[in-house]
């Protein structure tokens, strides 16, 4: 019944923790920040082994470019004629695409000719891509139905005709190119950029991102999702970069010094890494990752179809429930706590390694949440197991203390013995029965209070003698005492200890008589001792059980006690005598045995040879 009760508790706990796991994965997401941190650590390590696409080159508006060009063209923003000259120079090398990470949203009122020059250059090329900035849906924004075609926006079956959106658009010449896409770098709640939108869905209208526009323009396929988890390639500033100033100054030379095919068949991204332009974000691989490199990473992922694919949360939930279920099964099978803990630690390490290895196959396996819930189950179940063991220990101490010396009790409990483990064992033991003579006369001549006080004192002294010789006090039967040696702890010299205990009880009687004088002068005792096989354990009903011994050995010991009257205060059987000699050696035996003859015993066909033990002087 106790076993089934424990099974129900562990099974119920498994169901409860599994339910909490599903709720966390589906709705709460309380552990998501921790999950992100673990995934970030894996991604950062994995990124070190992954090289950026060599066909993507960044023309870098870096600190050096800002310094070198400050004297000749002024401070940033530069005249747009510079960008026009840069485009014309790079186009001579036939790149696949030139992508600007610069938002040309306002006309240069002080240099309109520069804007016109740039517009002519843009219209003359077909592989230029420009960003636009998506703000938010609004009633006062751009009507999507009217400008969708011009902006490359796709209408879906559920598109709302009256939908509008607020956007920051580039100059008209760039809008006419239709090579536009949004470049909105969106961070998670903790401020870290982990993903990139392929397109933005606004009331059923799909607004393409700049990386998606580049990918489709170059003939690369797009994933069937509006969002990709970025697969990072190296830490910040890992993509091949060429200083804007170096390229521009080289184009001004009559005889260029740079390679004439430097940008041939490359995807060229023009953007800034200069810290003064404040275009940096936090990412899993670096706390200061420039926006242009995030753009490069997104284009890289779409070009090579190597964006990460998050494992379905329901599969993670199934894994967590399975893991919790296995733990519940282990606990209901009464497996050792340490073994379960070591096994769970091994599974934890294996799953973390598997999650890290899964990145090689582009799977993002968020494993922390199911593992944490598995450990929560283990810790709660371990606490339950500890409390159960503590309760069992306290019950064992309380139970054993009724019939064993406290030192023996501690030894048994430290060995992990329980009522179940000490039941139904056949052992060779030595049994002692002791009974009071003259108790009836004492009862007639004393008040009930005196009788109870006297018996309590008597039993206390006699049980102390039993415990002093490491005996097990079985029970009090009226004014009789039953004790045995050889169980529950193994005692190779149980016969010697039993006889020593019997003689100590006899000596204790004399002390008792002296203490209580006339009131105890008529008290006499008889002690019978016999050795043999007996069944020892907890015996009784479900509601009450006692640790006792049963069998012929017990019966004969009681019969011998009944024969002591008129013969000797202490009598032992020949089996006990022979065991004493065997257990100590004839010369070393501390007792001498006086032959008291053979005596008929009720229930036995053969007479029993009895001896009176005395201590050797």
């Amino acid at each position: 019944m106790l076993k089934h009760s424990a099974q129900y508790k562990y099974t119920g706990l498994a169901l409860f923790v599994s339910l909490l796991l599903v709720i966390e994965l589906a709705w709460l997401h309380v552990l998501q920040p921790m999950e992100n941190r673990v995934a970030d650590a894996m991604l950062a390590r994995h990124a070190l082994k992954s090289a950026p696409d060599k066909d993507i080159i960044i023309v870098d508006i870096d600190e050096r470019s800002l310094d070198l060009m400050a004297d000749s063209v002024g401070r940033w923003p530069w005249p747009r004629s510079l960008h026009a000259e840069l485009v014309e120079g790079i186009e001579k090398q036939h790149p696949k695409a030139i992508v600007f990470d610069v938002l040309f949203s306002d006309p240069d009122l002080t240099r309109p000719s520069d804007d016109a020059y740039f517009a002519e250059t843009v219209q003359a090329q077909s592989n230029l891509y420009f960003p636009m900035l998506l703000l938010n849906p609004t009633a006062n924004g751009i009507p999507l139905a009217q400008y969708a075609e011009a902006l490359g926006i796709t209408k879906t079956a559920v598109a709302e005709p009256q939908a509008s959106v607020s956007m920051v658009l580039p100059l008209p010449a760039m809008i006419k190119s239709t090579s536009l896409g949004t470049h909105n770098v969106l961070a998670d709640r903790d401020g870290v950029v982990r993903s990139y939108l392929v397109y933005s869905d606004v009331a059923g209208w799909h607004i393409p991102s700049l990386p998606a526009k580049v990918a489709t323009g170059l003939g690369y396929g797009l994933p069937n999702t509006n969002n990709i988890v970025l697969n990072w390639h190296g830490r910040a500033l890992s993509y091949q970069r060429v200083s804007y100033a170096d390229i521009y100054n080289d184009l001004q030379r009559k005889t260029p010094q740079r390679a004439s095919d430097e940008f041939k068949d490359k995807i060229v991204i023009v953007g800034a890494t200069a810290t003064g332009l404040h275009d940096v974000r936090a990412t899993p691989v670096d706390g200061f990752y420039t926006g242009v490199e995030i753009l490069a990473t997104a284009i890289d992922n779409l070009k090579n179809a190597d964006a990460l694919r998050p494992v379905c949360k329901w599969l993670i939930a199934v894994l967590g429930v399975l893991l919790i279920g296995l733990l519940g099964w282990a606990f209901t099978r009464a497996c050792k706590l340490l073994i379960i803990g070591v096994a769970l630690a091994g599974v934890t390490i294996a799953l973390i390694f598997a999650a890290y290895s899964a990145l090689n196959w582009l799977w993002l396996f968020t494993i922390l949440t199911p593992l944490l819930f598995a450990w929560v189950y283990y810790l709660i179940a371990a606490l339950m197991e500890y409390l159960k063991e503590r309760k069992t220990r306290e019950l064992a101490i309380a139970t054993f203390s009724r019939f064993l010396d406290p030192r023996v009790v501690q030894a048994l409990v430290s060995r992990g013995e329980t009522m179940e483990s000490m039941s139904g064992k056949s052992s060779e033991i030595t049994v002692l029965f002791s009974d009071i003579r003259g108790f009836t006369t004492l009862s007639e001549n004393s008040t009930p209070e005196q009788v109870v006080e006297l018996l309590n004192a008597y039993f206390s002294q006699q049980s102390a003698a039993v415990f002093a010789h490491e005996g097990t006090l079985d029970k009090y039967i009226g004014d009789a005492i039953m004790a045995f040696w050889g169980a529950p702890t193994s005692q190779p010299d149980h016969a010697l200890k039993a006889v020593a205990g019997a003689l100590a009880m006899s000596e204790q009687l004399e002390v008792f008589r002296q203490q209580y004088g006339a009131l105890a002068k008529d008290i006499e005792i008889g002690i019978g001792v016999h050795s043999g096989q007996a069944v020892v354990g907890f015996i009784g009903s479900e509601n009450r059980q006692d640790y006792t011994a049963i069998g012929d050995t017990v019966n004969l010991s009681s019969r011998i006690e009944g024969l002591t009257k008129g013969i000797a205060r202490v009598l032992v059987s020949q089996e006990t005598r022979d065991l004493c000699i065997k257990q100590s050696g004839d010369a070393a035996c501390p007792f001498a045995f006086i032959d008291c003859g053979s005596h008929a015993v009720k229930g036995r066909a053969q007479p029993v040879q009895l001896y009176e033990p005395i201590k050797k002087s």
Side-chain angles (χ1 to χ4, degrees):
M1 185 169 61
L2 290 174
K3 182 178 180 182
H4 287 306
S5 176
Q7 289 178 347
Y8 292 145
K9 288 180 181 178
Y10 291 127
T11 302
L13 177 62
L15 292 174
F16 177 70
V17 175
S18 297
L19 178 61
L20 289 181
L21 170 63
V22 172
I23 293 173
E24 162 62 22
L25 290 173
W27 295 287
L28 296 181
H29 309 300
V30 174
L31 298 176
Q32 192 61 49
M34 294 178 61
E35 190 78 77
N36 288 339
R37 291 292 180 266
V38 173
D40 290 351
M42 291 185 182
L43 287 171
R45 185 174 181 84
H46 183 264
L48 297 177
K49 304 187 301 180
S50 179
D53 192 321
K54 294 181 179 179
D55 290 337
I56 297 176
I57 299 179
I58 297 174
V59 175
D60 190 3
I61 304 171
D62 54 5
E63 299 284 358
R64 181 169 175 274
S65 296
L66 295 177
D67 290 340
L68 288 176
M69 302 184 72
D71 294 336
S72 59
V73 299
R75 300 177 63 84
W76 180 267
W78 298 325
R80 284 162 186 164
S81 58
L82 272 68
H83 302 310
E85 293 176 33
L86 180 79
V87 168
E88 291 175 341
I90 294 176
E91 285 289 1
K92 292 178 182 180
Q93 299 185 23
H94 305 292
K96 285 185 177 180
I98 298 177
V99 185
F100 274 91
D101 184 22
V102 180
L103 187 60
F104 301 105
S105 58
D106 298 316
D108 190 345
L109 300 178
T110 61
R111 292 170 289 203
S113 59
D114 287 0
D115 277 6
Y117 177 24
F118 191 26
E120 292 175 4
T121 304
V122 170
Q123 292 172 2
Q125 309 300 329
S126 60
N127 63 343
L128 301 183
Y129 296 87
F130 299 95
M132 54 185 180
L133 186 62
L134 176 66
L135 299 178
N136 57 285
T138 174
N140 300 319
I142 300 171
L144 292 175
Q146 182 178 352
Y147 293 97
E149 184 177 355
L151 297 176
I153 299 173
T154 304
K155 178 182 179 182
T156 68
V158 295
E160 297 180 10
Q162 304 303 320
S164 62
V165 67
S166 178
M167 300 180 69
V168 179
L169 299 176
L171 299 174
M174 299 165 192
I175 295 176
K176 290 179 182 179
S177 72
T178 68
S179 297
L180 305 176
T182 60
H183 181 32
N184 290 75
V185 179
L186 302 179
D188 293 341
R189 289 184 177 181
D190 57 0
V192 178
V193 177
R194 299 184 176 89
S195 59
Y196 202 99
L197 286 173
V198 177
Y199 64 85
S200 299
D201 189 329
V202 178
W205 299 85
H206 288 180
I207 305 175
S209 67
L210 186 57
K213 200 69 175 180
V214 174
T216 54
L218 298 180
Y220 304 125
L222 295 179
N224 296 321
T225 177
N226 73 323
N227 186 63
I228 58 171
V229 178
L230 293 174
N231 184 14
W232 305 94
H233 302 292
R235 293 197 177 277
L237 306 180
S238 293
Y239 279 89
Q240 182 178 349
R241 293 176 297 116
V242 182
S243 178
Y244 189 110
D246 290 344
I247 301 297
Y248 181 79
N249 291 332
D250 193 64
L251 292 174
Q252 308 308 309
R253 297 188 180 99
K254 292 183 179 180
T255 305
Q257 298 177 1
R258 302 185 68 87
S260 60
D261 61 349
E262 184 176 8
F263 301 108
K264 181 178 176 57
D265 295 328
K266 306 293 185 181
I267 299 175
V268 181
I269 304 175
V270 182
T273 65
T275 56
L277 299 183
H278 308 292
D279 188 19
V280 292
R281 301 287 194 279
T283 69
V285 297
D286 202 294
F288 296 94
Y289 210 91
T290 60
V292 66
E293 283 207 300
I294 294 175
L295 176 62
T297 302
I299 295 174
D300 190 342
N301 286 182
L302 293 177
K303 174 179 180 290
N304 297 289
D306 64 353
L308 297 176
R309 300 185 294 271
V311 174
C312 175
K313 286 189 176 181
W314 291 111
L315 289 178
I316 295 174
V318 169
L319 173 65
V321 171
L322 179 62
L323 191 56
I324 294 168
L326 288 174
L327 287 172
W329 174 83
F331 274 100
T332 56
R333 298 284 295 181
C335 295
K336 297 295 184 182
L337 195 62
L338 179 61
I339 295 175
I340 298 176
V342 171
L344 182 57
V347 170
T348 299
I349 294 172
L351 286 178
I352 291 174
F353 178 77
Y356 178 71
S357 300
L359 293 174
N360 295 322
W361 289 276
L362 305 180
W363 287 107
L364 181 60
F365 190 11
T366 50
I367 196 62
L368 179 66
T369 299
L371 284 176
L372 281 179
F373 274 86
W375 278 104
V376 166
Y377 177 88
Y378 173 79
L379 292 175
I380 295 175
L383 178 61
M384 291 169 56
E385 190 71 15
Y386 166 76
L387 293 176
K388 186 183 77 172
E389 290 295 328
R390 180 177 177 181
K391 185 176 181 180
T392 302
R393 182 186 180 94
E394 291 173 350
L395 178 61
I397 291 175
T399 303
F400 298 156
S401 296
R402 293 191 286 112
F403 49 80
L404 291 172
D405 180 77
R407 292 170 298 178
V408 180
V409 171
Q410 290 300 326
L412 287 173
V413 173
S414 63
R415 273 170 31 195
E417 296 285 2
T418 63
M419 293 175 66
E420 290 79 9
S421 66
M422 292 171 56
S423 293
K425 293 183 179 180
S426 179
S427 305
E428 183 186 66
I429 63 173
T430 299
V431 182
L432 176 151
F433 266 89
S434 171
D435 196 9
I436 298 178
R437 315 264 187 237
F439 181 70
T440 303
T441 303
L442 173 65
S443 300
E444 293 174 350
N445 299 326
S446 305
T447 64
E449 292 78 6
Q450 290 176 321
V451 172
V452 170
E453 180 184 355
L454 201 65
L455 279 177
N456 287 339
Y458 167 77
F459 283 137
S460 296
Q461 293 183 5
Q462 295 290 290
S463 61
V466 172
F467 290 155
H469 291 84
E470 301 177 21
T472 299
L473 183 61
D474 187 310
K475 63 174 70 73
Y476 301 116
I477 310 170
D479 57 356
I481 295 174
M482 175 183 170
F484 55 84
W485 283 255
T489 58
S490 177
Q491 294 172 311
D493 56 348
H494 58 82
L496 286 168
K497 292 183 184 297
V499 172
L503 294 178
M505 292 171 72
S506 177
E507 294 172 359
Q508 195 63 45
L509 177 63
E510 300 303 324
V511 175
F512 180 75
R513 283 175 169 176
Q514 292 178 8
Q515 288 176 342
Y516 286 87
L519 193 61
K521 65 183 178 63
D522 294 328
I523 290 180
E524 183 55 71
I525 62 173
I527 301 174
V529 182
H530 176 57
S531 303
Q533 291 291 323
V535 176
V536 184
F538 284 90
I539 299 172
S541 67
E542 290 185 358
N543 297 325
R544 178 179 174 82
Q545 292 186 337
D546 289 314
Y547 188 71
T548 188
I550 59 174
D552 184 63
T553 298
V554 178
N555 296 334
L556 183 53
S557 175
S558 178
R559 300 283 188 271
I560 294 173
E561 182 275 320
L563 295 172
T564 57
K565 189 175 182 179
I567 301 176
R569 181 180 289 174
V570 181
L571 288 177
V572 303
S573 65
Q574 183 167 344
E575 288 79 2
T576 299
R577 168 187 173 274
D578 293 344
L579 275 176
C580 286
I581 294 172
K582 179 182 178 181
Q583 290 171 359
S584 61
D586 193 6
C589 184
F591 311 117
F593 295 91
I594 301 173
D595 191 340
C596 295
S598 298
H599 298 266
V601 175
K602 182 179 178 181
R604 278 184 169 251
Q606 299 295 326
V608 177
Q609 185 71 34
L610 299 177
Y611 298 87
E612 179 186 6
I614 58 173
K615 287 184 180 180
K616 290 181 178 178
S617 56

